[in-house]
Amino acid sequence: MVHFRIEMTTAEFRPVAEILNPHAPNFSELHYHVRIDAMTPEEKLHWLSDQILKEEHRLLREPYNMAQIRPEAKIMFLTGGPKSDVTEARDFDGNLIHTRHLDHPRPMFAEIPEALSSISHWFDMMIQSKENNTLPPSPVAALSEVSDVVYNVSHLLTLDEYFWEEYNTYLQRIAGSLGYSLDQLLTIAVYKYNFRLGQGKSQKNIGIENDLISKVLAKVGPDGKPLYPTPTETQFQKTFHTLAEVQTLLNTRLEQLRQEHEWKKHPVSG
């Protein structure tokens, strides 16, 4: 099996003032290590699965002298682990997987449950908009949560390469459920995480991230038609079901990895 890998240059930085949120505190401009709209789908996937994974490690784990995250930990980030709480979840060696709340852990949903909840909330808002004859709700919050799933699944392409084809299929199916190409879905995730981690520091700001996604969704082609169609109720329903299916498959893979870990610790004597 041949997996596409490409080295991206990080020498060029480009300020992009037009996607600025002027109301963001202590925020003046964004600098891009890569020109996102010029990247191929393969380059976007490599950036998410390899380069930003390394940057995440540098920013969120190296300060605690922690090793690179293990594949089971990434799966638990997506599904929640035994307690459905990522701040309590531990990898197979007993290490906590979450670093933002090491000192003060608090209950926190994993990425797929968060995305499911956000899509469910979008449907609640859609019902209200129909009852009140108001504009339909924005898909941005739900798509932002889905992009978190994309971000973490993409890391598994590197961390658990033996299962590369399966993880790639999950990404393809999530994109298709929304009516997007994989490239469109990856683009949303790259914009979000270029801000959060690609600026050379960890800076989570939901307002700015949602503003970035809104501006991506507002892009139009030469013919004036949207490049990113708004997902329909049918598509969001399909995405909800697809994410639930992916969660089941990931938990199955987690148990496979757990068994492999146990067998390595306790090999059969000859």
Side-chain angles (χ1 to χ4, degrees):
M1 184 193 316
V2 177
H3 299 156
F4 186 90
R5 296 287 184 266
I6 182 169
E7 294 300 321
M8 296 291 296
T9 176
T10 58
E12 182 173 355
F13 293 82
R14 185 178 61 160
V16 185
E18 68 270 17
I19 56 176
L20 217 46
N21 182 339
H23 306 295
N26 304 315
F27 185 75
S28 59
E29 65 177 13
L30 285 173
H31 290 89
Y32 281 105
H33 293 255
V34 290
R35 291 172 290 181
I36 297 173
D37 292 333
M39 295 167 72
T40 66
E42 291 82 6
E43 290 168 345
K44 291 170 188 170
L45 192 59
H46 173 73
W47 189 87
L48 284 166
S49 66
D50 183 272
Q51 289 188 281
I52 209 66
L53 172 63
K54 293 173 181 174
E55 189 69 357
E56 179 193 82
H57 175 67
R58 184 181 73 83
L59 294 172
L60 301 181
R61 293 185 180 81
E62 281 188 357
Y64 298 98
N65 295 315
M66 296 173 72
Q68 175 60 281
I69 194 167
R70 297 164 59 106
E72 69 265 21
K74 272 295 173 183
I75 292 176
M76 284 187 273
F77 259 108
L78 285 155
T79 67
K83 298 181 180 179
S84 298
D85 179 359
V86 293
T87 67
E88 290 285 338
R90 296 175 181 270
D91 65 23
F92 296 155
D93 287 333
N95 303 304
L96 286 167
I97 71 170
H98 202 282
T99 61
R100 290 187 186 273
H101 303 283
L102 282 176
D103 297 328
H104 303 285
R106 62 177 179 84
M108 182 179 292
F109 271 129
E111 301 299 356
I112 291 179
E114 280 192 333
L116 294 173
S117 177
S118 186
I119 293 172
S120 178
H121 180 67
W122 181 89
F123 274 99
D124 290 338
M125 298 297 291
M126 179 63 78
I127 292 171
Q128 290 183 27
S129 71
K130 291 178 179 179
E131 290 175 347
N132 299 326
N133 197 28
T134 56
L135 292 174
S138 167
V140 168
L143 289 173
S144 179
E145 295 296 343
V146 172
S147 73
D148 291 342
V149 175
V150 171
Y151 170 80
N152 283 280
V153 171
S154 72
H155 289 173
L156 287 165
L157 294 169
T158 297
L159 297 171
D160 187 20
E161 279 198 310
Y162 179 81
F163 233 58
W164 192 96
E165 288 188 4
E166 285 80 1
Y167 296 132
N168 187 58
T169 297
Y170 301 165
L171 294 174
Q172 293 276 3
R173 291 192 69 86
I174 294 169
S177 72
L178 288 163
Y180 289 159
S181 66
L182 180 58
D183 181 53
Q184 288 172 314
L185 187 62
L186 295 175
T187 300
I188 293 172
V190 171
Y191 267 97
K192 177 172 182 174
Y193 280 91
N194 178 71
F195 165 70
R196 184 176 289 191
L197 298 173
Q199 310 296 309
K201 57 184 177 180
S202 175
Q203 46 185 1
K204 182 177 181 179
N205 186 310
I206 294 174
I208 293 174
E209 291 167 1
N210 285 354
D211 188 54
L212 288 169
I213 294 172
S214 293
K215 288 188 166 34
V216 173
L217 298 181
K219 291 176 178 290
V220 297
D223 57 1
K225 294 182 179 180
L227 295 177
Y228 293 79
T230 300
T232 64
E233 290 179 74
T234 298
Q235 287 166 334
F236 262 140
Q237 184 177 33
K238 188 174 182 180
T239 303
F240 188 97
H241 295 157
T242 299
L243 291 173
E245 292 164 355
V246 168
Q247 180 167 245
T248 298
L249 292 168
L250 286 169
N251 279 327
T252 298
R253 178 58 181 161
L254 179 63
E255 291 310 308
Q256 290 175 333
L257 290 170
R258 191 188 308 277
Q259 188 66 70
E260 290 172 12
H261 180 76
E262 287 301 313
W263 282 356
K264 287 179 181 178
K265 283 177 60 178
H266 306 289
V268 176
S269 56

